[in-house]
Amino acid sequence: MKKTKIFLLVLVIVMVTSVFAGCGKSVNSENGSSNQVDTEQKKIKSASEYGVTLNKTSVVFTDARGKKVTIKKNLKRVVCLYNSYLDIWDSCGGKVIGRVQEAEEKPVKNAESAQVVGTPGSPSLEKILALKPDLVIATDEFKNQAAMVPVLEQNNIQVIALANTYLKDYYMTLRLFSGITGREDLYKEHIDEVKKNVDKIITETPKDKKYKVLIIFATAKDITVRNSHSMLGEMLKDLHTVNISDAEANSSEAKVFSMEKIIQENPDFIFVQTMGSDKEKIMEKLKEDVEDNPAWNSLSAVKNKRYIILPKDLYLYKPNARYAEAYEGLAKILYPHVFNKTN
């Protein structure tokens, strides 16, 4: 009888121990599952950068229209309508089947065999549709491209419509394109290199000079000015200069060339951007509207040989991976005692 009681007691202890052990496994299992979910959530969170979210099979961002767009990854049939974007797409390992005409100063690399579908300002919708693309990369800088976007979407073609004016836009585009191509290695390589070098230049720039600058934008037909709300304007602002056109930044008159205003402000540096293939006519227009003015030679920038016509490849077209080179070029002009130490 005693043996039977002892046996039953042992059996009860074994059963109770098993129940608690099972509960322990269940709790651990639940904790493990919870930890795994937390880890995945952290991964998703860390994949959101510069307004771009990377998912397993897609990339989500807000385009130039303010519209939230989802683009599938690893698309093969791509048409790019803006060569500055094509430059970034190529650096992210992307290939294209269609592109627009290239500029002499901004040759297209690794896309020579792609079909030309027109110019950036006037691409052919018919030629684009004939290529049956999965994706079209466009810019909001040209009205014809902006008008084409809804039509492409109606034909079930994914569209990336971008505005790329500032340095942060380059970082965002780099994040977006590398996410689509799946080349995280190239993203890290470019973002680390460009950001590190640009930040270093800005950090080393003297903050006490506050040089006054003027940006002249010259074509064969017109002379205007640019304020800090432009690619070159942002770079000069980052380098701690004062753009004399910023006083009227919220006015439509901000881009109007005024010799009276320039004489009044007397800038320390004048930088010229030129646009157009006829260099001779552009220089004639500059001479006629600017340099022939009797007061021109009295300006500090002119007298001190600080009237500089900038190269197009870095200061008209998007410098992209060469942003640090563009910043350094300006820094050497503005602060030679700091940035020309080895010269």
Side-chain angles (χ1 to χ4, degrees), residues 22 83 87 109 179 203 241 267 274 280 307 332 338:
N83 288 327
D87 182 37
K109 294 181 180 179
T203 300
T241 66
T274 62
E280 189 175 331
Y307 171 53
K332 284 183 175 181
V338 176

Side-chain angles (χ1 to χ4, degrees), residues 137-275:
I137 301 171
T139 178
D140 74 334
E141 290 194 21
F142 296 101
K143 291 181 180 179
N144 286 345
Q145 289 197 31
M148 196 178 287
V149 171
V151 181
L152 293 169
E153 290 178 330
Q154 289 166 12
N155 281 272
N156 298 316
I157 298 169
Q158 296 185 92
V159 181
I160 294 176
L162 292 176
N164 192 332
T165 301
Y166 306 111
L167 178 60
K168 65 179 177 60
D169 296 326
Y170 167 67
Y171 292 154
M172 177 269 187
T173 306
L174 195 63
R175 174 70 288 181
L176 175 64
F177 287 177
S178 60
I180 295 170
T181 61
R183 293 299 303 271
E184 193 68 19
D185 57 326
L186 294 175
Y187 168 70
K188 184 167 176 54
E189 176 187 325
H190 290 297
I191 199 77
D192 287 352
E193 186 70 15
V194 174
K195 196 171 189 312
K196 177 186 70 175
N197 291 329
V198 169
D199 290 350
K200 183 175 185 292
I201 292 165
I202 294 173
T203 300
E204 292 177 356
T205 299
K207 299 177 178 60
D208 59 335
K209 299 295 184 182
K210 302 296 181 184
Y211 289 129
K212 288 183 179 180
V213 300
L214 169 69
I215 301 172
I216 294 177
F217 193 88
T219 70
K221 295 181 179 180
D222 203 10
I223 302 293
T224 55
V225 298
R226 294 288 184 268
N227 57 30
S228 293
H229 300 290
S230 62
M231 185 187 77
L232 177 59
E234 181 195 44
M235 287 193 276
L236 288 168
K237 185 176 181 179
D238 286 344
L239 295 173
H240 309 299
T241 66
V242 179
N243 190 316
I244 66 171
S245 296
D246 284 350
E248 301 176 65
N250 296 322
S251 168
S252 60
E253 298 299 312
K255 292 183 180 181
V256 175
F257 179 83
S258 167
M259 182 59 77
E260 183 180 353
K261 168 79 171 175
I262 294 167
I263 294 168
Q264 179 186 339
E265 293 292 340
N266 195 21
D268 300 295
F269 292 85
I270 299 174
F271 295 97
V272 182
Q273 293 174 291
T274 62
M275 186 175 76

